[in-house]
């Protein structure tokens, strides 16, 4: 850029130099011309004066005329300080102040004489042959009263003598021109700087912009073209910045969408390199996008199945939908869609993999079908019993009253069981599907436990089991009374069922200080017995549907295996929790905690 400034200054200097030189030459020329003109006029005046003050001598003969003119020329030279020459009409030099007339040739051919002959006055500037100097000659024709030509007077002066003044003038001119030139040079440098400095700034700004720094701005300056350029540059930078921000925001939005998707998304370029690996893919396949993006897919070694499907997808370019079991980083069942795609550029088709975790869905589906199988199985047993005993009765056992009676009792019990089972199944599905919402109301727990006691007392009395149900004084709880009754009855019946004769079943209801941050008070209801207890390994499973520790025992006691799973569901619908502590042979404690007030 400084090169440009130098060039610009040099150009300015050249222009100024040429104009200064031209001005010098012209003014020199005119000065010289004026000077010569003034000199010539002066000499003409002097000639006229001379002619008036010293008229042409009248001599009889040519020799004495010459003599007289010679003397007069010498005399005048002293006064006028100029060379004076008298010339006769035929061109003969009659008298000369500086030379001997005899050595001088005929002057009739001299330009000033020829002019004077025609116009009265003549002048000429030339080099004198005699003096070897630049001379100005001015001649005047002298005539008598009758108009006859008497001769010529000529004055001549060396121009070299006057050129001393001209040289001084030249020196002054050159000096002042030089000053002017120096001044102009400084001004032009400043001017060039004022042009190039903003250009330099703009160049560096443009360079910064090419490195994607669009925050840079240049000073906008005046209203001239450079200012306009600066403004245009700033506008361009602002626009680019805006565009870039937009692109960045769009990119971020897209990234956010991809990262927050519940599906894993992986993109593979045609060259087999991973081009995208979203957050969910990281979670499902267990490596970070930083490790994967830009690397070949074949490096995903933990999932051999996946890589072989990718290879197949790249080769066949057919969409595929599959499920695959992965064991890393966790055991999961993934649904995989391999979709060949065309990128918007069109040239580089790749593969899009979409991964979905279907572990929970499959587990639920399995549970459903398992449940159906269990239900069928559970139903089959009492139905088979009813059918078998009825057939036996029909086959003749009816005649034996005793046998018939016992068989009919079994049929009755089994149909009871069947009824209970169907009732429990319906209940469970009702609770699970949340078809009937809970009706919360404040319940006086003291009175409530009294009613429960009455309901189970006959059963307990049959097994001589002591019942002890007690609530804290004046304890109220917000709950659905029927459902809470279901919970308590199930637990009490279990307690009575799984406790040998002479045992004890206890219920305690009390408030417990909250452990939660929200500070809601909780009510703890503990149902404990002195029964057979539950082995440690079975504890995690007893809330599952149809799970029983001892199938035969449960059946003989009329259990369906659904009671605890109904209890757990109902407790959860009350936003509570249930856990169990048990010691085989010593007894079990079912501990329920419910919020005092429903949220
Ligand atoms: P069931 O109808 O068989 O009682 P539940 O779902 O109520 O079914 O209980 C599941 C299993 O948990 C029971 O079969 C039993 O083995 C065990 N169980 C439940 N309550 C008790 C308890 N109080 N003492 C010992 N075992 C219990």
């Amino acid at each position: 850029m400084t090169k440009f400034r130098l060039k610009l200054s040099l150009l300015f200097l050249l222009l100024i130099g040429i104009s200064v030189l031209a001005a010098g030459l012209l003014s020199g020329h005119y000065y010289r011309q004026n000077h010569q003109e003034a000199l010539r006029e002066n000499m003409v005046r002097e000639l006229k004066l001379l002619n008036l003050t010293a008229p042409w001598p009248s001599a009889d003969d040519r020799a004495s005329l010459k003599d007289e003119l010679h003397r007069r020329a010498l005399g005048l030279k002293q006064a006028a300080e100029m060379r004076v020459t008298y010339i006769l009409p035929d061109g003969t030099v009659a008298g000369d102040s500086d030379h001997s007339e005899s050595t001088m040739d005929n002057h009739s051919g001299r330009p000033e004489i020829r002019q004077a002959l025609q116009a009265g006055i003549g002048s000429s500037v030339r080099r004198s042959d005699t003096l070897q100097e630049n001379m100005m000659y001015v001649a005047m024709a002298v005539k008598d009263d009758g108009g006859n030509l008497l001769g010529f007077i000529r004055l001549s002066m060396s121009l070299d003598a006057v050129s001393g003044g001209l040289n001084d003038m030249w020196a002054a001119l050159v000096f002042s021109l030089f000053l002017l030139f120096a001044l102009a040079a400084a001004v032009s440098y400043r001017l060039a700087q004022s042009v190039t400095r903003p250009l330099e700034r703009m160049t560096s700004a443009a360079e910064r912009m090419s490195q994607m720094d669009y925050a840079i701005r240049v000073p906008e300056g005046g209203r001239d073209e450079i200012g306009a350029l600066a403004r245009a540059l700033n506008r361009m930078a602002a626009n680019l910045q805006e565009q870039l921000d937009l692109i960045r925001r769009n990119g971020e939005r897209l990234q956010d969408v991809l990262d927050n998707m519940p599906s894993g998304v992986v993109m593979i370029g045609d060259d087999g390199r991973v081009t995208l690996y979203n957050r969910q893919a990281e979670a499902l396949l267990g490596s970070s996008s930083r490790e994967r993006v830009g690397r070949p897919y074949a490096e995903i070694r933990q999932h051999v199945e996946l890589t072989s499907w990718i290879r197949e997808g790249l080769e066949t370019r057919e969409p595929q939908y599959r499920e695959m079991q992965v064991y890393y980083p966790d055991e999961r069942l993934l649904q995989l869609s391999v979709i060949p795609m065309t990128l918007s550029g069109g040239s580089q088709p790749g593969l899009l993999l979409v991964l979905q975790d279907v572990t929970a869905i499959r587990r639920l589906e399995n549970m459903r079908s398992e449940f159906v199988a269990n239900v069928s199985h559970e139903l089959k047993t009492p139905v088979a019993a009813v059918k078998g005993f009825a057939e036996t009765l029909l086959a003749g056992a009816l005649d034996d009253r005793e046998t018939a009676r016992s068989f009919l009792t079994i049929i009755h019990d089994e149909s009871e069981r069947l009824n209970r089972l169907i009732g429990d199944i319906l209940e469970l599905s009702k609770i699970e599907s949340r078809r009937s919402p809970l009706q919360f109301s404040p319940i006086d727990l003291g009175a409530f436990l009294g009613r429960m006691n009455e309901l189970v007392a006959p059963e307990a009395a049959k097994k001589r089991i002591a019942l002890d149900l007690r609530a804290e004084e004046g304890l109220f709880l917000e709950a659905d009374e029927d459902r809470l009754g279901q919970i308590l009855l199930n637990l009490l019946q279990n307690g009575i069922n799984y406790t040998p004769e002479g045992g004890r079943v206890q219920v305690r209801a009390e408030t417990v200080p909250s452990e939660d941050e929200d500070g809601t008070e909780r009510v703890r209801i503990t149902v404990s017995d002195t029964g057979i207890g539950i082995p440690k390994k079975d504890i995690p499973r007893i809330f599952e549907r149809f799970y029983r520790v001892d199938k035969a025992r449960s059946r003989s006691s009329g259990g369906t295996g659904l009671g605890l799973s109904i209890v757990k569901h109902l407790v959860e619908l009350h936003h509570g929790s249930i856990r169990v502590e048990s010691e085989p042979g010593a007894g079990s404690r079912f501990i329920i905690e419910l919020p005092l007030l429903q949220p």
Side-chain angles (χ1 to χ4, degrees), residues 424 490-499 527-529 531-535 538 541-551 553-555 557-567 580 582 587-590:
D424 276 358
N490 262 303
L491 293 179
L492 281 168
Q493 275 164 356
N494 277 352
I496 294 165
N497 279 344
Y498 298 106
T499 301
V527 181
S528 46
D529 60 55
I532 57 166
I534 306 161
D538 296 300
R541 301 201 58 190
I542 56 167
F543 293 102
E544 284 176 22
R545 288 173 291 202
F546 299 115
Y547 190 81
R548 294 135 167 154
V549 176
D550 180 345
K551 272 197 190 296
R553 190 184 186 110
S554 163
R555 276 181 65 79
S557 66
T560 59
L562 290 174
L564 284 183
S565 84
I566 292 175
V567 166
V580 60
S582 184
S588 316
R589 284 157 68 81
F590 286 84

Side-chain angles (χ1 to χ4, degrees), residues 40 61 87 109 114 164 227-228 261 283 297 313 333 425 492 512 528 540 578:
R40 199 183 76 87
D61 58 69
I87 298 155
R114 282 217 302 264
M261 260 168 82
Y297 75 88
L333 187 69
I425 290 167
L492 281 168
V512 282
S528 46
I578 181 165

Side-chain angles (χ1 to χ4, degrees), residues 195-405:
V195 172
T196 56
R197 166 113 10 113
L199 287 179
E200 279 166 16
R201 282 207 199 102
M202 282 186 252
T203 309
S204 80
E207 247 146 40
R208 295 269 298 273
M209 277 181 223
S210 72
Q211 285 150 19
M212 310 262 275
D213 176 6
Y214 298 123
I216 187 141
R217 296 288 179 275
V218 289
E220 295 196 346
R223 306 210 54 79
D224 55 3
E225 287 83 348
I226 289 184
L229 183 60
R231 277 190 294 279
L233 200 70
N234 283 347
R235 260 202 311 281
M236 185 176 87
N239 284 345
L240 281 173
Q241 194 171 18
E242 221 167 89
Q243 292 291 323
L244 199 74
D245 282 352
L246 192 74
I247 291 170
R248 200 176 292 150
R249 272 203 303 280
N250 279 342
E252 279 168 4
R253 201 175 308 150
L254 204 66
Q255 191 60 47
D256 285 347
V257 169
L258 280 170
D259 279 342
N260 290 296
M261 260 168 82
S263 310
V265 178
V266 178
M267 238 162 91
I268 299 193
D270 207 29
D271 57 355
R273 285 178 189 277
V274 177
T275 55
L276 190 145
Y277 202 83
N278 80 341
R279 210 181 285 163
Q280 188 62 8
E282 289 179 348
L284 294 179
L285 297 176
S287 43
S288 73
S289 98
R290 200 169 320 147
E291 292 168 64
R292 289 285 170 242
V293 171
R295 315 283 315 160
Y297 75 88
E299 284 181 14
I300 310 178
R301 296 222 173 75
Q302 301 90 338
H303 306 292
V304 184
E305 222 177 340
L306 180 70
T307 48
S308 78
W309 284 339
I310 295 173
R311 192 179 323 113
E312 203 176 302
L314 284 171
E315 280 163 10
T316 62
R317 307 211 57 78
E318 294 284 335
Q320 305 169 53
Y321 303 93
R322 320 207 178 189
E323 261 173 29
M324 66 175 188
Q325 185 75 41
V326 295
Y327 300 95
Y328 175 85
D330 296 307
E331 191 176 335
R332 281 199 184 96
L333 187 69
L334 299 184
Q335 194 175 57
L336 171 72
S337 312
V338 181
I339 306 152
M341 54 172 194
T342 350
L343 297 184
S344 37
S347 54
Q348 275 271 313
L351 278 190
L352 183 70
L353 310 185
V354 181
L355 297 150
Q356 258 154 334
D357 184 359
V358 291
T359 321
I361 298 171
R362 288 289 172 276
R363 194 185 293 148
L364 211 67
E365 280 171 6
N366 287 344
M367 265 167 69
R368 288 244 161 82
S369 56
E370 216 172 279
F371 180 64
V372 171
N374 280 337
V375 166
S376 319
H377 178 75
E378 294 292 331
L379 291 174
K380 226 171 138 177
T381 328
V383 167
V386 168
K387 189 172 173 247
F389 283 109
E391 278 170 2
T392 320
L393 283 173
L394 288 173
L398 205 55
D399 302 333
D400 178 353
R401 269 188 85 78
E402 268 312 291
T403 318
R405 192 172 184 81

Side-chain angles (χ1 to χ4, degrees), residues 403-423:
T403 318
R405 192 172 184 81
S406 81
F407 279 16
L408 281 171
T409 313
I410 293 171
I411 290 176
H412 176 260
D413 287 353
E414 286 300 311
S415 56
E416 257 308 279
R417 236 170 82 76
L418 203 57
N419 196 31
R420 262 206 313 280
L421 195 61
I422 291 169

Side-chain angles (χ1 to χ4, degrees), residues 9 59 103 113 223 232 324 379 478 500 522 528 595:
S9 330
T103 62
I113 300 297
R223 306 210 54 79
M324 66 175 188
L379 291 174
E478 192 185 8
R522 297 176 82 81
S528 46

